[in-house]
Amino acid sequence: MKRNYEALFGAFYENYFYFKSEGMSGPEALACTCEAYFGMDKRGEMEKAVLSIAEGRIHLTHSKIFVKSKQKIIDALNSLDLNKLQHEIAPDDYQDILERRDMVLDGIESIPVDYSPNTRYYYFEIEKEVKNYFGILFNEKKDATELVEEIMERFERECRSTLSEKIVVRTTLAELLIRYRINAIGEFLKIKNELEQFDMNDVGEQLSENEKLDLSMRIKEVLTKLQNL
C-alpha cells in the first residue's frame, strides 16, 4: 500500500509542476491540479489524506493562501477518520501520514491570507517573473521593439486575467526599460497613459494594503521619470 500512497503524492506534485511549466502562476497551477483529482478524495481516507496534504504542502511554498482554501485544507485534515486510515495503510505509512498532516497544519497557520478568489500571480511573484523573462531576452540582445513585444506576448494571459497582474507587469516593464536605458518611446507612452488612468481602488482585494502602497510609490516614480514624454 505504501507504493500507492507515495505514487499519489508523486503524481500530484508532477501535475502541479507540469502546469507551472506551462507558464501558470502557483495558485493557478494548484487549482488545475486539484481539479484533475476532483472526487478522488471520496475513494478512501488514504486518498483524502494524501490529496489534502499534497495541496497543503504546495500552499506552504506560496506567499499567500486564499482564505477558503486554507479552511478547506484544515477541515479536511482535522476530519480524517484515523481508524479507517489505519486499516488502509501499513503502520509505518500511517505514522508518516500523521507527521505530514501535522506539518501542514502547523505551517498553514503562518501563511498570509488572500481574500480575493482570483487565481493569479501574487504581487512580488509577477514582478519576479517579468524581471526573469526580461533578463533572458536582454541577454539574447533583443532590440527594443522585439524585447517589448515578446514580454507583452508572454504575459498577455496574465494581463487579461486580473488588473493587479496587468499593472504590475506594465510598471515592472517600464522600470526595466528605464534602468537599462532602452529606447522604447512608443511603449513608454502606452504605459504612461495606462498608469495615469489607473485607479488603485479598482484592484480591490487582489493586493494587500502594503502591496498597494508599494505599487503606488513605484508608479509615481515611473511617471515622474516619464513626465517629459
Side-chain angles (χ1 to χ4, degrees), residues 25-41:
S25 66
E28 188 177 7
L30 183 53
C32 289
T33 303
C34 291
E35 185 176 343
Y37 289 90
F38 180 77
M40 185 176 285
D41 59 331

Side-chain angles (χ1 to χ4, degrees), residues 105-117:
L105 287 173
D106 289 342
I108 207 167
E109 290 296 343
S110 62
I111 305 177
V113 171
D114 175 31
Y115 292 97
S116 171

Side-chain angles (χ1 to χ4, degrees), residues 205-220:
E205 295 180 323
Q206 294 171 20
L207 297 176
S208 69
E209 292 306 312
N210 286 337
E211 290 167 345
K212 289 177 182 178
L213 178 60
D214 185 74
L215 181 57
S216 294
M217 294 172 63
R218 292 172 62 193
I219 289 174
K220 182 178 180 180

Side-chain angles (χ1 to χ4, degrees), residues 2-16:
K2 181 176 182 179
R3 184 174 60 187
N4 288 340
Y5 96 83
E6 288 185 341
L8 184 53
F9 270 123
F12 191 94
Y13 296 138
E14 183 178 348
N15 272 275
Y16 170 75

Side-chain angles (χ1 to χ4, degrees), residues 1-3 5 46 82 84-98:
M1 202 66 177
K2 181 176 182 179
R3 184 174 60 187
Y5 96 83
M46 184 273 283
L82 300 185
K84 287 184 179 179
L85 184 60
Q86 279 185 302
H87 285 91
E88 292 180 8
I89 55 179
D92 288 347
D93 301 341
Y94 174 75
Q95 190 59 40
D96 181 51
I97 288 286
L98 292 187

Side-chain angles (χ1 to χ4, degrees), residues 8 12 33-55 72-73 75-77 79-81 84-85 88:
L8 184 53
F12 191 94
T33 303
C34 291
E35 185 176 343
Y37 289 90
F38 180 77
M40 185 176 285
D41 59 331
K42 302 295 192 297
R43 295 183 182 179
E45 291 305 295
M46 184 273 283
E47 287 82 2
K48 178 181 177 181
V50 169
L51 294 177
S52 298
I53 290 169
E55 181 183 354
K72 183 194 76 170
I73 292 170
D75 290 346
L77 293 179
S79 66
L80 288 173
D81 188 324
K84 287 184 179 179
L85 184 60
E88 292 180 8

Side-chain angles (χ1 to χ4, degrees), residues 171-199:
T171 303
T172 306
L173 176 57
E175 291 170 335
L176 292 167
L177 294 174
I178 292 169
R179 182 184 307 165
Y180 290 95
R181 296 182 173 85
I182 296 175
N183 185 14
I185 300 300
E187 189 60 33
F188 279 140
L189 289 172
K190 291 178 185 177
I191 293 175
K192 180 183 178 184
N193 183 56
E194 286 189 80
L195 296 184
E196 286 175 337
Q197 296 183 41
F198 170 63
D199 184 344

